[in-house]
C-alpha cells in the first residue's frame, strides 16, 4: 500500500495503490490530505463516518474524496487515517 503524487495539467494529482479497492481508496485519501498538511503530524484523535453511493468505482472514488473534503471544511478538521469498506 502506498500513494504517489502525479503532475496533472499544472495541478497536483494523486494515485493510491493497494491490494484491495478499499486500501487503494484509503491510500488515495492519505495522499489528498498529504498535499494539504504533513499527515504524519496529524493524530487520529477523533473518528467520523461518511457514506457514499455510486454506480461505478470511478464515480465512487470521486464521491469519496469529495465527501472527505466537505467534512474537512464542515468540521474544520484534517484526517490522517482511513478505514474504507466498499459494498456492492
Amino acid at each position: 500500500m502506498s500513494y504517489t503524487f502525479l503532475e496533472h495539467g499544472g495541478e497536483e494529482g494523486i494515485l493510491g495503490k493497494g491490494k484491495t479497492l478499499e486500501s487503494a481508496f484509503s491510500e488515495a485519501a492519505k495522499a489528498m490530505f498529504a498535499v494539504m498538511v504533513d499527515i504524519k503530524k496529524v493524530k487520529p484523535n477523533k473518528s467520523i463516518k461518511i457514506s457514499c453511493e455510486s454506480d461505478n468505482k470511478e464515480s465512487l472514488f470521486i464521491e469519496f474524496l469529495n465527501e472527505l473534503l466537505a467534512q474537512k471544511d464542515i468540521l474544520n478538521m484534517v484526517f490522517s487515517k482511513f478505514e474504507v469498506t466498499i459494498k456492492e
Side-chain angles (χ1 to χ4, degrees), residues 5 12 28-39 42 65 68-69 72-73 77-79:
F5 299 110
E12 193 79 38
K30 286 180 192 176
M32 181 177 71
F33 281 95
V35 169
M36 298 177 236
V37 298
D38 182 356
I39 62 169
V42 177
L65 295 179
L68 288 173
L69 287 173
K72 173 190 81 67
D73 292 341
M77 295 173 58
V78 293
F79 308 102

Side-chain angles (χ1 to χ4, degrees), residues 45-72:
N45 294 332
K46 184 176 180 181
S47 83
I48 66 165
K49 287 189 176 192
I50 64 168
S51 179
C52 306
E53 292 184 25
S54 183
D55 294 334
N56 60 61
K57 292 182 266 190
E58 293 81 8
S59 294
L60 182 62
F61 179 66
I62 300 300
E63 290 295 321
F64 170 67
L65 295 179
N66 283 339
E67 184 61 26
L68 288 173
L69 287 173
Q71 291 302 314
K72 173 190 81 67

